[in-house]
Structures are given as structure tokens and as C-alpha cells.
Amino acid sequence: METVTITLKNAPALFLEADNVSPDVFAGKTAAQIAELHVHEGNTTSPLGKYFEVSGSAGTTAADTKIVVKGDVKKVKYLGFKMSAGEMVIESSADQYVGAWMTGGKLLAKGSVGAFAATAMKNGELTIEGNAGNYLGAAYRGDWRGMSGGKILVKGNAGSDIGMYMLGGEIVVNGNADVHVMTHAEGGKTIVKGSTKSKLGGQMVEGTIIVFGAIETMMPGFKPNGEVELEVEGTKAKFAHFIGDTGERHKKKKGVVVYGNLYKKI
Amino acid sequence: MSEYIIKNGHVFDPVQGIKGDKKDISIKDGKIVDKVGSGAKVIDASGKTVMAGAVEIHAHIAGPKVNLGRIYRPEDKLFSCTPTKGMERMGGGASIPTTFKTGYEYAKMGYTTAMEAAMPPMFSRHVHEEIRDTPIIDEGAFPVFGNNWFVLEYLKNQEIENTAAYIAWMLRVTKGYAVKVVNPGGTEAWAWGLNCLTVNDPVPYFDITPAEIVSGLIDANEYLGLPHSMHIHPNNLGNPGCYETTLDTLKLAEGKKAKNKFGRDSVMHLTHSQFHSYKGTNWGDFESGAKEVTDYVNKNKNITIDTGNVTLDETTTMTADGPFEHHLTGLNHLKWANCDVELETAAGVVPYIYSPSISVCAIQWAIGLEIPLMMKDPMRCYITTDHPNAGPFTRYPRVIKWLMSKKARDTQINAFKHKDKVLSQTSIGSLDKELSLYELAQMTRAGPAKTLGLGAMCGGLKPGMDADVAVYNFNPDKPVADPDDIEKAFSRCAAVFKSGVQVVSNGEIIATGHKRTLWVNAKVNDNPQVIRDINEKFIKYYSMTQANYEALGHHFVPNPFALEVDATTQV
């Protein structure tokens, strides 16, 4: 695997949209060619090289390409946009849409990321060592197709509306999550090891939410369904089981109504 | 104005009966002429296909429900934006493009005239603002009448003259083009929680049937002698077994004759016939009723139809058939928007994915192609996608590919997950017909222009007609190696002229011309009763005054073109 390192040397005054920074776009290109790729600052289109120093070279395919993003990119959006394979490491915090629409590969953000990370993610792995913003693994605005596969691990806290319209895949938050978890979801699993606030699983059709800590306010649409023993992420414990959202439509599978599941550690 | 001569192209013009002969087309002062001077600019069309600008008879491209779709589907613009480029302003949207993109896309495919198929009269100002902002193409809009309280009241008492006077008033104040009917009576019934699924289901309170509404509106349309016929989306759209309702609706035109000075022969235009040609009793035994419907239409010359081809895309359905959209959201569970328009109509919007792996969608695709392949007279059957309901209009080149190539159809059939079901529930597999370029010109140019009453103005290349011309990179002398070449050729024109101005060159927009709004100014005798009724309804029921109702003046209709009709003397 070949490595390309891009280092921010001239910080943008506005937010920078760097939707060309992905192993798929870099693959097969030299450092000079990569520096010529477009980025957008406001309504101005410039070459990537205006802001970043590019070194190393890319592999022939996305799978053979690793990108290391150095420097303070907290005002850079769309890093890892639509990546399908390969690896990417962001060494600082980044702005919105990290790994959005990604379909494969491994993306590691060593800092925190802004909102809409992993929007409509289909596959691959996204690890965020800091905190995640709002709408992690959610659907794009207006869309009903959120994260459908792959795995997201947030070592810090996550914002609100994570897993909105989630269809599949898994989100693990080691810290706390804000309001609205897996709203409208029709599949997938979200594990919050810390505490949550309110509106978990609102209008949820299918899917699983597991909370280790507190739930500040339960949705009235969820009803208790006994207790179960579960092994989650290596922890064996007793969980209170709730099903819902009872205010939403639910499919029947083999004559049995399928609800969304909410488990809270006892 | 400049002169042009389009040299050595293979010309297809049903108006003059030209079937691919090598001919030069001369343009002067916005019109087709016999000859031009030696200084005329030469467009070399050798090895290319030349046709008149295409005419869209039915699409939803302007107005509140289109805009509602744009507003509530930001995801439709995702990854479909086109940045500013040369003459072109920024555009966006796949199934519900912005006004600018709408104009550019039609022009690039060789379309120069398009009709907005459902204008809620109360929101005609909005419709005209969007038409104004849609560049290049001439446009008209059809106000909807099939659930209008005035119409329901007049026709209950068989008052054709009053209905006609009301239509004339409405066309004038809304700058409307034709009489559109959507789910007659059914949309009004829905305000009462009901629907009209047959032509004999009475409308609550008004106590009139869809049959009486349809028959009366045809009579009023011919009383006025309007350019276009009554244009109908019948009851019971999109349900298995609906072809019977469709046939019952078509039978209402029996014995009625077109009466107009525009050369139109039909009295009823059945739109998006694909959605109205379903047999079966449920989605399990769902099958094609294309044969039954086309058999009837083939025999009855006073009816025209358009197809409503399913293009197997993700799209946005929108119709004044409010109850249907409510039904649809119950089927696919996607977001639903609804709007009631006081006294007049309603509309609903729901996104829809026509998936090739769902048997119903694949059968719908087949029915949409069976209809034009089974129609004997291409002058009475026009290609549409009921944009954006069965697919976006930008897919016309693909529909043309399927119609012109059996190989392309077979490739698609083989790609369906439920191929066997498509073949058993429809006759698409046994239809060998491949549309000729001449038939294509009939279905997309001469035919729709004639039925819209525009046959003397556009849809042909006869000297004296508007110089709307499309040149395609398609050589009819060469065999088609790959059906995809057909789609490619019809996607982007080599050259397009609109009223004598070259607007497209090599698939790029080079000018925006001077688009016009087509409307019909129908003169009727003074009718104090209708004027009194209108005044009374505005005072008693409307939430706005008449002064705020009319689409008037430069802001709304900056470049009007009125077709004049005089119905003051009745024989």
C-alpha cells in the first residue's frame, strides 16, 4: 500500500470543501496531479495544492492507497467523501461530512468530527477518537435512506440525531449521545455505552438501540417487554427490553409483528 | 433576423410527408421559408437526422405542486446539480429540475414547446412565474376543471353555455391553454373522505357523476372551439382492473365531433394511458390491459392518447389526484405532501422508485411500451413520461431507444428480476415492431402539435411554420450497431433552432431565444349569470379577491402569445 500525505499549510479563511480527498480519487495519481485536484472555498474553486502540501504517491487502486491528512483541518469538509476502499487517517479534528456516502475502506479520525459524518454510509469502518457531531450515520436532508452498512466507533460523545433513518450497520458510542437516536430507523444497531437524553427510537420501525447508562426521558411509544440477558461488546449484563415505536407502522414476519428494540442496562 | 440553411440532412416531416429524403431547410425571420439568400449561415447536417422541434403534450414542469416537490425533496438535487456554464445558469434536480434546468434539458433534446399539464387556477400566478423562468421553450398551462365547484354546479343542470362562459373566463384570468380534467369528481369527493372509482360514482353534495362531468366538459370545449381537446386523467388511476374505468371514460366521447378552426380532429385526449391500462384484481395477478385500451382507441378516431412511459428511475409522483397520492404513500411509506386548493382542486406529492427488481414496476414499464407499439396511427399516440410521475422527461431518449429497438427491449427484459412474470402478464415479448424515425416524428412532433391545435404553427417543417428545428447526430442510412447509440443521439442535439434562433449547438446551450407563453383567448357572449356567480363565489367562499386572482401583466406573462377563439356566434 502506497501512502499520500497531505499537510495543511495555508488555512482557508472560509470552510473548505475537499470532496476530492479520498483514496478513490487519489488512486493512480502522482503528488503533482493530486495537488491539481479541485477544492472549493466559498464560491471559489482552487487546486488542492493552494492549501495542502502533497507528498508521497498513491497506489494504482483505491485499495492500494492510504491518505494521511496532517495539520489542523477543523475547517475542512467532505474528507473521505464516497471512499470505497483503502485507508485514510485524519490526524486532527475535521468539519462536516467526514466519510459521507462511504462504501468501504477504513477511515480513522484522531480528533473530533463535525455533523453529518458517515451520511448514508453503506460499508467500511469509521473510527472517531474524539467526539462526533449531530446526524452521525444519518440520511441526507429529506432522504429516507440513512446508514445501511459498515461500522462506526466513536470513542468520545456523539451529538443529536445519530442513526436517523438508519437501515443497517452498527454505531457504537463509548461516551454519551444527545437527543434523538435512530429516529425513523428501519434496521441497524446503535450502542451507547454512556447516557442518553430523550426521544430514543421515535417513529422507529425496526432496529436495535442498546443503552448502558441512563435514559433521561423514555418515548411514550415504547412499552416494556420484560428483561433479557445480553452480551454486548464483550459485556454480559441484564437489560430491560422495550419495544416500539408503537405509534409507527410495523411489518409482520411469519405472522409476528416486528418492532424496534430498545435495551437499557439494569 | 439572421438567415440559416440546414443542408443535406435526412428530413423527417409528417406534415409534408417527407420520410428521410435529403433536403435543405431554410430559416428566415423566425419562420421556415422556401429559400434564403447566399449569405445565410450554413449548418451542415449531412449524415444527420432533421426534424421539427418536438412538442411535449403533458408534463408537470411549473407551479405549486412541482415546487412543493422541489422543496420537500432536497435529496433530489443531491449529486444532480449543474454549475453555471457559458450561457447556462446553475441548475439542479433529477426528477424535479429547477426551471432553468428544465428549459435547457428540453432544448438539448430538441424540444421547443411544452405543456404544463395541471395548473391549479388559484395558483396560476405561481405557474406563470415559473414558466417565465423556464428558458427557451414555448409553454402553455392547462387549468384543471374536473373538480371545480362552478363546473360541478353548471353541469349538474346540463348548462353547457354557462360552463363554456366560465371556461372562457378562467382561461383569460389564468392565461390558460386547455381544459384539463383530473380524476373527475374524485378529488372533490376526497374532501369528503371518499373517491370516485367508476364513472358512475356520485360526487357527494354536488350529486353529479364523473360521466356527466366529462361529457359536459367535452361539449363545452367544442362549444368554444378551443385549440386543444378536453384532456383527461380518468378516475381510478393506477389500480389493477382500472382499464374498465378507462374504457367507460373513453366511451363518453362516442358520437362527439371536434369543432374548431385549428385542424384538431379529437374531442378527448387520454393522458398517461399506461397508468390507466391495468387488468387483474390485485398486485399479485396484475396484468396489462394495453390491448383492450388500444383496440378501442384504434377504432375511435376522435380520441388521442399519450403513453406515460415508466423509465425505471427514482422519481417524484405528483398529481391533482389527491386521493391517489394518499393511496400511494400507504403502499410505499415514503413521505407524502398534500395541498387542497379551495373550490378548485387539490394535489399530492410522493417520491417513488420504479425498481427493475419489483415485478409490478417491470410490468408497468412493459405496458408503457406496448401502447405505442400497438397503436395503429402514430398521429394519435404521443410519447410522454407524465413527467415526473412515471419518470423524468430527461429519459425520453431512453424511451425512444426502447421503441426503436427490439434488441434494447429484450436486453431490459432479460435484466428484470421477474422476467417470466413480465412476459406472462404482458405481450411485450411478442411485439417485434420497431418505431421508424417517421413514426417518431409523428409521435413527438406533428401528432401532439395537431392535437394541441398548433398544427399550423409548429411540429412540422413546412414553409410558413415557426422555425423550430432539431438536428440529431443520427444517420438513418447506417444500421444501428448498438441501441445505446440511439439514446445518445437523441439526448443531445447537434443543433436546435427555436423560432429561428439557434439555441443549441453540439449539445450546448448557446442562446435562450425568446420564449413565449401560449394561452387561449376565447370570446363568448356576455353572460351576466356566470359573472354574478363568479362575484358571489369570491365574496362568499374564496380567501382572496378577484383583483389578486388574475395572472396579469408583464411580471407574470412577459411574452404572451394568444390563440384567438370566437364563440359568440353558435350555429
Side-chain angles (χ1 to χ4, degrees):
Chain A
M1 180 174 273
E2 305 272 333
T3 302
V4 182
T5 303
I6 63 167
T7 309
L8 190 75
K9 55 178 185 186
N10 299 315
L14 304 173
F15 284 86
L16 196 68
E17 292 175 31
D19 51 5
N20 275 327
V21 178
S22 78
D24 297 74
V25 181
F26 281 15
K29 292 190 173 70
T30 63
Q33 286 169 327
I34 290 166
E36 288 300 310
L37 292 168
H38 285 164
V39 289
H40 308 279
E41 184 181 2
N43 62 2
T44 310
T45 303
S46 308
L48 184 80
K50 181 181 165 187
Y51 305 93
F52 289 92
E53 194 175 272
V54 184
S55 65
S57 61
T60 48
T61 64
D64 291 333
T65 303
K66 178 177 178 176
I67 302 173
V68 179
V69 183
K70 288 178 185 279
D72 184 1
V73 291
K74 69 170 182 292
K75 287 177 88 169
V76 180
K77 298 174 195 280
Y78 293 103
L79 292 168
F81 173 73
K82 288 189 176 176
M83 72 181 275
S84 71
E87 280 182 44
M88 198 161 149
V89 178
I90 306 166
E91 296 205 332
S92 77
S93 291
D95 197 52
Q96 298 178 340
Y97 292 103
V98 168
W101 292 279
M102 72 184 277
T103 58
K106 284 185 186 174
L107 207 169
L108 169 64
K110 291 193 169 173
S112 296
V113 301
F116 307 109
T119 290
M121 175 177 181
K122 281 194 171 151
N123 211 340
E125 282 176 41
L126 170 63
T127 305
I128 298 157
E129 295 195 337
N131 301 324
N134 302 335
Y135 295 98
L136 174 74
Y140 181 71
R141 281 279 189 252
D143 211 321
W144 57 91
R145 291 155 291 198
M147 175 178 182
S148 56
K151 190 171 175 182
I152 302 174
L153 170 63
V154 182
K155 294 191 178 169
N157 301 321
S160 69
D161 298 278
I162 63 173
M164 184 189 74
Y165 280 109
M166 197 167 171
L167 301 170
E170 188 176 304
I171 301 176
V172 178
V173 180
N174 285 352
N176 305 322
D178 208 327
V179 295
H180 291 286
V181 176
M182 286 181 83
T183 308
H184 289 291
E186 292 201 35
K189 186 198 274 187
T190 297
I191 300 164
V192 182
K193 296 207 177 153
S195 296
T196 56
K197 290 185 175 168
S198 61
K199 303 182 189 82
L200 280 77
Q203 295 194 279
M204 188 171 176
V205 178
E206 256 187 271
T208 304
I209 303 174
I210 301 171
V211 181
F212 280 62
I215 298 174
E216 206 175 273
T217 312
M218 275 291 287
M219 281 289 291
F222 277 76
K223 62 178 184 187
N225 193 39
E227 293 176 4
V228 284
E229 177 112 357
L230 292 177
E231 190 179 330
V232 184
E233 295 270 297
T235 306
K236 235 184 185 172
K238 252 194 167 177
F239 288 81
H241 183 208
F242 299 85
I243 52 172
D245 181 338
T246 52
E248 190 50 66
R249 72 191 157 86
H250 293 283
K251 271 183 278 193
K252 268 188 181 172
K253 276 181 195 161
K254 290 177 185 162
V256 183
V257 181
V258 181
Y259 289 99
N261 296 299
L262 173 57
Y263 300 95
K264 191 199 163 297
K265 189 164 165 266
I266 298 166
Chain B
M1 265 178 127
S2 4
E3 296 184 357
Y4 292 89
I5 180 157
I6 302 165
K7 277 184 122 62
N8 292 320
H10 295 274
V11 176
F12 292 87
D13 180 19
V15 172
Q16 301 176 91
I18 304 171
K19 299 186 172 177
D21 308 349
K22 268 194 194 172
K23 273 183 75 87
D24 297 345
I25 301 293
S26 302
I27 297 172
K28 186 184 179 183
D29 295 336
K31 301 280 181 194
I32 309 278
V33 291
D34 281 323
K35 57 174 86 163
V36 282
S38 56
K41 193 178 167 195
V42 177
I43 305 281
D44 179 22
S46 38
K48 295 185 166 77
T49 294
V50 179
M51 293 184 186
V55 178
E56 166 71 89
I57 200 166
H58 185 108
H60 302 278
I61 43 177
K65 86 183 158 324
V66 181
N67 216 38
L68 182 57
R70 294 190 188 109
I71 291 165
Y72 101 140
R73 288 207 67 197
E75 76 279 10
D76 186 67
K77 286 196 184 65
L78 182 68
F79 309 137
S80 69
C81 284
T82 45
T84 306
K85 185 180 172 193
M87 282 294 299
E88 280 185 50
R89 293 172 62 151
M90 186 178 82
S95 65
I96 15 171
T98 57
T99 53
F100 289 99
K101 193 174 178 183
T102 300
Y104 301 145
E105 288 290 332
Y106 267 120
K108 287 174 181 180
M109 297 190 303
Y111 279 74
T112 47
T113 306
M115 291 292 162
E116 157 56 46
M119 168 160 72
M122 201 170 89
F123 296 122
S124 64
R125 289 180 166 196
H126 181 166
V127 174
H128 284 292
E129 282 177 320
E130 289 199 20
I131 286 179
R132 181 195 67 191
D133 285 347
T134 305
I136 304 172
I137 53 173
D138 282 350
E139 278 180 282
F142 306 160
V144 286
F145 286 96
N147 293 280
N148 179 298
W149 290 9
F150 293 87
V151 170
L152 300 181
E153 285 173 1
Y154 291 142
L155 288 182
K156 183 180 173 179
N157 303 318
Q158 285 105 45
E159 295 168 16
I160 301 301
E161 198 176 337
N162 287 343
T163 308
Y166 175 72
I167 290 170
W169 174 85
M170 184 64 94
L171 293 177
R172 193 179 69 251
V173 298
T174 65
K175 299 294 171 286
Y177 190 85
V179 174
K180 174 72 186 297
V181 183
V182 179
N183 187 1
T187 303
E188 174 58 30
W190 196 49
W192 303 77
L194 304 164
N195 196 354
C196 296
L197 293 173
T198 77
V199 296
N200 297 317
D201 289 0
V203 184
Y205 177 75
F206 292 95
D207 198 24
I208 183 172
T209 64
E212 292 169 303
I213 299 169
V214 173
S215 176
L217 283 172
I218 294 176
D219 292 344
N221 198 93
E222 300 312 319
Y223 176 99
L224 290 168
L226 298 180
H228 187 29
S229 65
M230 195 264 325
H231 186 116
I232 188 164
H233 153 156
N235 307 89
N236 205 14
L237 170 142
N239 291 322
C242 68
Y243 83 103
E244 288 183 11
T245 314
T246 308
L247 292 177
D248 289 343
T249 305
L250 296 176
K251 282 173 191 157
L252 298 168
E254 264 172 28
K256 297 195 195 283
K257 280 200 176 67
K259 188 174 103 11
N260 64 97
K261 61 174 186 181
F262 300 94
R264 161 177 62 84
D265 296 330
S266 58
V267 295
M268 181 190 276
H269 179 78
L270 166 69
T271 190
H272 37 69
S273 48
Q274 176 270 130
F275 284 126
H276 302 282
S277 304
Y278 299 163
K279 277 165 72 177
T281 56
N282 59 57
W283 294 116
D285 65 9
F286 177 62
E287 60 179 319
S288 171
K291 188 170 187 315
E292 286 77 0
V293 171
T294 53
D295 276 354
Y296 185 87
V297 178
N298 277 330
K299 272 188 236 128
N300 291 273
K301 313 272 185 242
N302 62 350
I303 295 169
T304 55
I305 61 172
D306 66 77
T307 53
N309 284 96
V310 164
T311 63
L312 305 169
D313 286 289
E314 174 180 331
T315 191
T316 313
T317 66
M318 50 181 64
T319 167
D321 193 340
F324 173 75
E325 293 289 359
H326 182 250
H327 172 66
L328 193 63
T329 190
L331 288 176
N332 75 357
H333 307 300
L334 298 183
K335 53 190 173 180
W336 169 57
N338 181 66
C339 177
D340 180 66
V341 181
E342 56 195 47
L343 287 81
E344 296 176 347
T345 179
V349 187
V350 176
Y352 200 82
I353 301 169
Y354 291 97
S355 165
S357 48
I358 294 174
S359 67
V360 169
C361 300
I363 293 167
Q364 290 177 306
W365 170 86
I367 297 170
L369 296 171
E370 280 181 298
I371 290 169
L373 295 172
M374 287 172 168
M375 277 295 293
K376 289 187 178 134
D377 181 2
M379 284 297 283
R380 292 198 289 121
C381 175
Y382 320 125
I383 298 171
T384 68
T385 60
D386 185 21
H387 166 87
N389 285 307
F393 71 82
T394 48
R395 286 289 191 228
Y396 283 154
R398 189 165 292 177
V399 175
I400 292 169
K401 172 183 78 176
W402 287 323
L403 289 173
M404 285 180 63
S405 165
K406 164 107 168 96
K407 190 176 157 193
R409 293 199 292 274
D410 288 342
T411 305
Q412 181 59 57
I413 291 167
N414 288 326
F416 284 130
K417 189 175 169 190
H418 304 281
K419 176 191 168 181
D420 296 344
K421 196 134 198 208
V422 174
L423 293 174
S424 71
Q425 304 303 90
T426 76
S427 56
I428 191 70
S430 64
L431 291 170
D432 295 328
K433 182 174 167 140
E434 295 186 327
L435 216 64
S436 70
L437 288 166
Y438 189 76
E439 288 167 320
L440 179 69
Q442 289 176 302
M443 285 188 175
T444 55
R445 274 92 175 153
K450 178 180 167 146
T451 291
L452 287 167
L454 294 170
M457 190 168 107
C458 61
L461 296 167
K462 199 174 172 184
M465 294 176 81
D466 283 0
D468 298 342
V469 191
V471 182
Y472 295 100
N473 288 314
F474 189 82
N475 189 342
D477 280 350
K478 284 192 179 162
V480 177
D482 178 356
D484 287 343
D485 294 344
I486 301 174
E487 182 174 344
K488 202 173 152 228
F490 285 93
S491 294
R492 292 291 178 258
C493 283
V496 177
F497 290 83
K498 161 71 179 55
S499 304
V501 176
Q502 189 175 2
V503 290
V504 173
S505 174
N506 292 323
E508 304 284 338
I509 302 294
I510 57 164
T512 48
H514 41 78
K515 75 120 2 83
R516 297 177 298 185
T517 304
L518 310 176
W519 71 283
V520 174
N521 188 21
K523 283 189 191 65
V524 288
N525 292 316
D526 288 344
N527 190 322
Q529 189 198 329
V530 169
I531 297 305
R532 196 205 63 207
D533 290 345
I534 291 168
N535 289 338
E536 188 190 275
K537 284 266 194 315
F538 269 93
I539 290 165
K540 272 177 87 170
Y541 299 118
Y542 269 103
S543 63
M544 61 165 70
T545 67
Q546 281 192 65
N548 293 323
Y549 190 86
E550 186 167 2
L552 188 68
H554 187 77
H555 175 80
F556 297 107
V557 191
N559 200 4
F561 182 88
L563 284 86
E564 302 287 341
V565 169
D566 187 349
T568 52
T569 48
Q570 292 289 325
V571 186

